[in-house]
Amino acid sequence: MSEAEIVDGPVLIVGTGLIGTSIGLALRRAGVEVLLEDATPSVLQEAIYRGAGSMADGSRVPQLVVVAVPPDAASGELARVAQVFPEATITDVTSVKGLIVDEAIEAGADAHRLIGGHPMAGREISGPEAARADLFDDRLWILTPTGHESEGHLARVRRLVATCGAQVLEMDPAEHDAAVALVSHVPQVVASALAAALVDEPADRIRIAGAGLIDTTRIAGSDPQLWTQILRANAGPVSGVLAEVTGRLQQVLDALAPGPPPQGSQQRPEGQHIAPVTEVLDDGRQGHARLPGKHGATSVRYAIVPVLVEDKPGELARLFVAAGDLGVNLEDVRIEHVLGRPSGLVDLFVRPDVLEILVQGLTEAGFDVRA
Amino acid sequence: MSEAEIVDGPVLIVGTGLIGTSIGLALRRAGVEVLLEDATPSVLQEAIYRGAGSMADGSRVPQLVVVAVPPDAASGELARVAQVFPEATITDVTSVKGLIVDEAIEAGADAHRLIGGHPMAGREISGPEAARADLFDDRLWILTPTGHESEGHLARVRRLVATCGAQVLEMDPAEHDAAVALVSHVPQVVASALAAALVDEPADRIRIAGAGLIDTTRIAGSDPQLWTQILRANAGPVSGVLAEVTGRLQQVLDALAPGPPPQGSQQRPEGQHIAPVTEVLDDGRQGHARLPGKHGATSVRYAIVPVLVEDKPGELARLFVAAGDLGVNLEDVRIEHVLGRPSGLVDLFVRPDVLEILVQGLTEAGFDVRA
């Protein structure tokens, strides 16, 4: 990073949870002066102890204030810091933008120096203990300028993002809220509603669950209080997408209902009534194909080489050394799971152009390649 | 495996897709004679070419017939083979049990020699090309005796399962169907309905999708025709669970709806109306905690050690060698993803009792451990 891309300090961070503390660590990594503030003294102390910055004691005036508090408190804090620091650039990290920024301006924040932000990074755990200086490296960080801000303030927030190692993506606030409703907020609700069906079921039924249910409900472990605030703040866009998903589930329910008597005595719905079910599955497959990266679309972009290894220390190492010796970079690794336990089957993800080298090389080295 | 556990041949497999061909390969691995049959000559040839058995030409009478055809055809095939081979034990691999077995018996199959089966194994790809001899190793294979079968026939199907390397789990047919509706069929519908919402959305919105949406919709890539048949055959149990999930989504929708005027002018729903949303999220977290294995509950049973490595050949190997040198068995490995691409952050999953050894050892070896 060139000197010109580093944000000018001091930067005041209000709220030292996972995101606030990680921003502090990322800025300190670049040598930027960071001041920290949190309503809970022990949380603030933890962030300071981890090296995210020093306590804001009022002796230094920040150039930039980052509000990193939960959605219910965000607009109030934005308005408050705008009043306390009448010259500072102000931004936030809330996962909802339109309502938060509107409320902040209504409450007195100046539109010309307030730029909404949303770093697309997080972890399954929260608090300053989980913070990492590299949390934002190569991640997207959405900014939502409204056209009312001045160029100098916007440029400063862009430098904040660059200093944290992230890439700026600028979006209209309403467009941002529609996008996160689709890719983040509604998936959270759907995963939670599905996992909620497990609460009262006998353990013997849950016991046979495989990777399908486990992946589908992975994010259901998230913090209910935080997510309630997010959903409440983005109620409109979330309702739109959620109504569509719920409508499709109702379509499947209707198609699976037994027909009127005498067909009602038949347990299997008649063939001609089942088409709406196929339609939802077809559309789902098409929608799935539009997704970027990881194991879904990854299987298109990367070739997969399954190798069976013994489940003992050093075996994975032997495999990876062999791949390294062949000059092959492993893009991803997945260990297949059996009955909730890892099995000895390891999927190696590589670029298609090195597939042959890897398969041949591993086979010659005596590995049990299941290509 | 002792000689007594190996199933007596010949075994006839009707339908040589992924599951049928994999059963053939597993039986051949144990030296069992296998006869193969498929309505599509090219599919049958592929299975034979892969070594799953020889073509059934009528010259040999099977001891056991395994029907491995799609759900719509299963009961008809079970009744047909029961007539053709009046002494043979008969089983199937259909993911729905109650209706299929009932229909087969109604159509003339003898209840005393028909035992329903469902191996809990599969792959994201289908056909004999995807078959593997080890597909069932250490997997569950559910059998659903009804009490009408004779002990000798049941014992033979148990030996089939053991010969394929799987573990028998016996369940009541209706209980099986309720369980798979919960852990497999409804998750499929939910993942598909969610992914279907992506079909008509602008690419710019989908572009910001992260691991949450990708995991939640992973199984939406499945075969719509096959899944329509499964859902149709298990319509009752699926409807029950699906109605519950849909009801919870409706509960969230209702809570997110704007209140009556003048509250209707407020974009953010009032705090007192939001409790039903928190309830769904809370229940979802509780349900999620009941799930076995993989990364969800794994994080409870295993300790996670994040290590930052360079993205180049040999780097993962160096890390794994170091872990092996410490005598630590890696239970699982996860490479963190950034914007759909793998990052340099690798999570090592280990038993908690070796956590300290690993963290200390890797740190001393110069690794960038982010514990």
Side-chain angles (χ1 to χ4, degrees):
Chain A
M1 194 176 333
S2 75
E3 188 97 354
E5 279 181 296
I6 296 180
V7 68
D8 42 326
V11 172
L12 169 64
I13 297 171
V14 178
T16 57
L18 166 67
I19 300 295
T21 304
S22 293
I23 294 173
L25 292 171
L27 294 178
R28 291 299 306 133
R29 177 179 70 173
V32 177
E33 182 182 354
V34 178
L35 310 169
L36 302 174
E37 198 181 302
D38 195 285
T40 308
S42 62
V43 170
L44 176 60
Q45 283 305 331
E46 181 68 29
I48 293 168
Y49 171 76
R50 291 183 174 266
S54 56
M55 191 181 304
D57 60 3
S59 66
R60 302 275 290 144
V61 176
Q63 299 286 326
L64 169 67
V65 183
V66 181
V67 170
V69 300
D72 276 3
S75 47
E77 280 301 299
L78 285 167
R80 183 184 70 78
V81 299
Q83 193 161 29
V84 176
F85 304 106
E87 305 293 327
T89 306
I90 295 169
T91 189
D92 73 328
V93 299
T94 319
S95 28
V96 179
K97 294 272 64 80
L99 178 70
I100 301 293
V101 172
D102 286 355
E103 282 182 348
I105 291 171
E106 248 174 67
D110 306 324
H112 78 279
R113 56 193 180 97
L114 170 59
I115 293 101
H118 178 202
M120 304 298 283
R123 301 191 69 188
E124 289 152 27
I125 42 181
S126 58
E129 305 81 2
R132 295 202 316 236
D134 61 355
L135 188 64
F136 311 105
D137 284 355
D138 294 323
R139 299 269 170 168
L140 284 182
W141 188 315
I142 298 171
L143 297 182
T144 56
T146 57
H148 297 294
E149 63 286 315
S150 73
E151 190 50 43
H153 289 293
L154 177 55
R156 184 175 279 143
V157 179
R158 286 200 194 109
R159 286 199 300 275
L160 167 77
V161 174
T163 309
C164 287
Q167 297 172 24
V168 169
L169 178 64
E170 291 186 15
M171 293 177 89
D172 172 77
E175 177 57 26
H176 165 276
D177 292 350
V180 292
L182 179 73
V183 306
S184 169
H185 302 174
V186 169
Q188 177 63 53
V189 174
V190 167
S192 292
L194 179 60
L198 301 172
V199 169
D200 295 324
E201 292 282 345
D204 276 352
R205 290 185 187 169
I206 295 172
R207 161 182 180 204
I208 65 168
L213 179 61
I214 290 170
D215 282 355
T216 312
T217 58
R218 181 179 63 80
I219 55 176
S222 304
D223 178 3
Q225 295 304 324
L226 174 64
W227 273 96
T228 300
Q229 294 187 24
I230 293 172
L231 296 170
R232 188 172 163 234
N234 203 24
V238 167
S239 294
V241 180
L242 188 54
E244 187 188 335
V245 174
T246 307
R248 285 182 190 265
L249 295 180
Q250 191 60 51
Q251 173 179 334
V252 173
L253 271 174
D254 292 345
L256 292 180
Q263 295 94 321
S265 60
Q266 174 79 359
Q267 213 190 325
R268 196 190 295 229
E270 292 297 319
Q272 67 268 33
H273 298 132
I274 208 76
V277 174
T278 314
E279 185 186 86
V280 170
L281 295 165
D282 269 331
D283 287 352
R285 183 140 86 160
Q286 278 180 52
H288 176 259
R290 299 190 68 195
L291 276 172
K294 221 184 161 186
H295 298 317
T298 296
S299 43
V300 179
R301 293 201 322 240
Y302 295 136
I304 303 178
V305 179
V307 185
L308 199 67
V309 300
E310 277 186 83
D311 184 21
K312 65 180 192 189
E315 281 305 294
L316 274 175
R318 217 166 62 78
L319 173 62
F320 283 47
V321 166
D325 285 349
L326 294 164
V328 170
N329 193 26
L330 301 177
E331 305 296 338
D332 202 355
V333 176
R334 180 169 55 180
I335 300 185
E336 295 277 347
H337 286 70
V338 173
L339 306 184
R341 291 180 299 103
S343 75
L345 193 73
V346 179
D347 286 329
L348 305 178
F349 292 66
V350 295
R351 288 199 321 275
D353 58 308
V354 297
L355 171 66
E356 211 170 313
I357 297 169
L358 184 65
V359 170
Q360 195 182 332
L362 290 181
T363 306
E364 279 171 11
F367 283 97
D368 189 359
V369 179
R370 306 291 174 111
Chain B
M1 193 177 331
S2 75
E3 189 94 357
E5 278 180 297
I6 296 180
V7 69
D8 42 327
V11 173
L12 169 65
I13 298 171
V14 178
T16 58
L18 167 68
I19 300 295
T21 303
S22 293
I23 294 173
L25 292 172
L27 295 179
R28 291 299 307 134
R29 177 179 70 174
V32 177
E33 183 183 354
V34 177
L35 310 169
L36 301 173
E37 199 181 303
D38 195 285
T40 308
S42 61
V43 170
L44 176 60
Q45 282 306 331
E46 181 69 28
I48 293 169
Y49 171 76
R50 290 182 174 267
S54 56
M55 192 181 302
D57 60 3
S59 66
R60 303 275 291 144
V61 176
Q63 300 286 326
L64 170 65
V65 183
V66 181
V67 170
V69 300
D72 276 3
S75 46
E77 279 300 299
L78 285 167
R80 182 184 69 79
V81 298
Q83 194 162 26
V84 176
F85 305 105
E87 304 293 328
T89 306
I90 294 169
T91 189
D92 74 328
V93 299
T94 321
S95 28
V96 179
K97 294 272 65 79
L99 178 70
I100 301 293
V101 172
D102 286 356
E103 281 183 349
I105 290 170
E106 249 175 68
D110 306 324
H112 79 279
R113 57 193 179 96
L114 170 60
I115 293 101
H118 179 200
M120 304 297 282
R123 302 191 70 188
E124 288 151 27
I125 41 181
S126 58
E129 304 81 2
R132 295 202 315 235
D134 61 354
L135 188 65
F136 311 105
D137 284 355
D138 294 323
R139 299 269 171 169
L140 284 181
W141 188 314
I142 298 172
L143 297 181
T144 55
T146 57
H148 298 293
E149 61 286 317
S150 73
E151 190 51 43
H153 289 293
L154 177 55
R156 184 174 280 145
V157 179
R158 286 200 194 108
R159 286 199 300 275
L160 167 76
V161 174
T163 309
C164 288
Q167 298 171 24
V168 169
L169 177 65
E170 291 187 14
M171 292 177 89
D172 173 77
E175 177 57 24
H176 165 275
D177 292 349
V180 292
L182 180 71
V183 307
S184 168
H185 302 176
V186 169
Q188 177 63 54
V189 175
V190 168
S192 293
L194 180 59
L198 302 172
V199 169
D200 295 324
E201 292 282 345
D204 277 351
R205 290 185 186 168
I206 295 172
R207 160 180 182 206
I208 66 167
L213 179 61
I214 290 169
D215 283 354
T216 311
T217 57
R218 182 178 61 80
I219 55 176
S222 305
D223 178 2
Q225 296 304 325
L226 175 64
W227 273 96
T228 299
Q229 295 187 22
I230 293 172
L231 296 171
R232 187 171 164 234
N234 203 23
V238 167
S239 294
V241 179
L242 188 54
E244 188 188 335
V245 174
T246 307
R248 286 182 189 266
L249 295 181
Q250 191 60 51
Q251 173 179 335
V252 173
L253 271 174
D254 292 344
L256 292 181
Q263 294 95 320
S265 61
Q266 174 78 1
Q267 212 191 326
R268 195 190 297 230
E270 292 298 318
Q272 66 268 32
H273 298 134
I274 207 77
V277 174
T278 314
E279 186 186 85
V280 171
L281 295 165
D282 268 332
D283 287 351
R285 182 139 86 160
Q286 278 180 53
H288 175 259
R290 298 189 69 196
L291 277 172
K294 222 185 160 186
H295 299 315
T298 298
S299 44
V300 178
R301 293 201 324 240
Y302 295 134
I304 303 179
V305 179
V307 184
L308 199 68
V309 299
E310 278 187 81
D311 184 21
K312 65 180 192 189
E315 281 304 295
L316 274 174
R318 218 167 62 78
L319 173 62
F320 282 45
V321 167
D325 286 350
L326 295 164
V328 170
N329 194 25
L330 300 178
E331 306 296 339
D332 202 355
V333 176
R334 179 169 55 180
I335 300 185
E336 296 277 347
H337 286 71
V338 173
L339 306 184
R341 291 180 300 104
S343 75
L345 193 73
V346 179
D347 287 328
L348 304 178
F349 292 67
V350 296
R351 288 200 321 277
D353 59 309
V354 298
L355 171 66
E356 212 169 313
I357 297 168
L358 184 66
V359 171
Q360 197 181 331
L362 290 181
T363 306
E364 281 171 9
F367 282 97
D368 189 359
V369 179
R370 306 289 174 112

